[in-house]
Amino acid sequence: MDQSAQQAQQLDHLASAPAPGASPFAAFGMPGPGGPPPAAPPEPRPILELNGEEREDELDALSDWVDDFLLPVYGAEVTTAAPWCLQWQEHDDVVAWLHALWLAYQQHKDPEAGLSGLFVWHRDFLTHAIAAIRSPGGPLSACMTSPERPAHRILPGPPPSARAEKTTASQAEPSGSGKPYEQAA
């Protein structure tokens, strides 16, 4: 009976799903093929969340990709319908778009993405990002619209929301000022 119970436990153990990241050979006390699994790469973070040297390094790598790959292949002609800016690194919204596009490119060119990975990148990421960045009313619309007339201007964004202004004003007031809450009409 004891031997039968042990065999039942062993069968249950062998039939259960392996632990995530566990080697298929762990039950035999052996590491997986090629030794221990490689450490997972760090999770990518949006470039606008980075600071200091970390942001500069990421912006340098992004600039290399944009200048050496993206623009020569997908840059197209600069026109009023498709403006560009030689100082695009100063446009935070453009940097954010291009960084996201670059991260998606890295993911979709990986062999694990399969044979259609780059097609998916073109269809789902490249076309939309370039259209948003280079649209006539987009973030670069005040910049270069002709290669003969280089221009750069950062368009002002919208003012802070009314809620942000109320929060700032209420923080500036000393507490217990005796002023009743005023509702905007």
Side-chain angles (χ1 to χ4, degrees), residues 3-170:
Q3 188 178 11
S4 191
Q6 276 183 327
Q7 288 176 344
Q9 283 180 337
Q10 191 173 18
L11 285 173
D12 287 343
H13 174 72
L14 292 173
S16 65
S23 164
F25 306 106
F28 304 107
M30 300 170 53
E43 290 292 321
R45 289 181 29 211
I47 195 167
L48 298 181
E49 291 180 4
L50 304 177
N51 293 312
E53 191 173 322
E54 189 179 20
R55 182 174 177 156
E56 287 301 316
D57 291 345
E58 192 75 359
L59 187 58
D60 286 344
L62 174 62
S63 296
D64 289 344
W65 180 76
V66 169
D67 293 340
D68 298 340
F69 174 72
L70 187 70
L71 290 179
V73 177
Y74 303 103
E77 184 179 7
V78 174
T79 66
T80 54
W84 184 247
C85 184
L86 297 175
Q87 297 173 41
W88 61 266
Q89 298 94 337
E90 294 179 20
H91 298 265
D92 282 344
D93 46 355
V94 174
V95 169
W97 272 102
L98 290 174
H99 188 252
L101 184 63
W102 179 46
L103 292 176
Y105 174 77
Q106 291 176 64
Q107 177 184 357
H108 286 83
K109 77 173 188 159
D110 189 276
E112 289 185 15
L115 297 175
S116 63
L118 286 174
F119 176 81
V120 172
W121 178 76
H122 281 88
R123 182 195 67 199
D124 294 348
F125 300 94
L126 176 69
T127 305
H128 181 68
I130 294 298
I133 293 168
R134 297 192 66 189
S135 71
L140 302 179
S141 60
C143 293
M144 182 170 59
T145 57
S146 169
E148 287 80 41
R149 293 178 313 221
H152 168 68
R153 189 175 81 149
I154 296 180
L155 298 171
S161 68
R163 179 179 176 180
E165 289 176 2
K166 285 181 184 178
T167 303
T168 305
S170 68

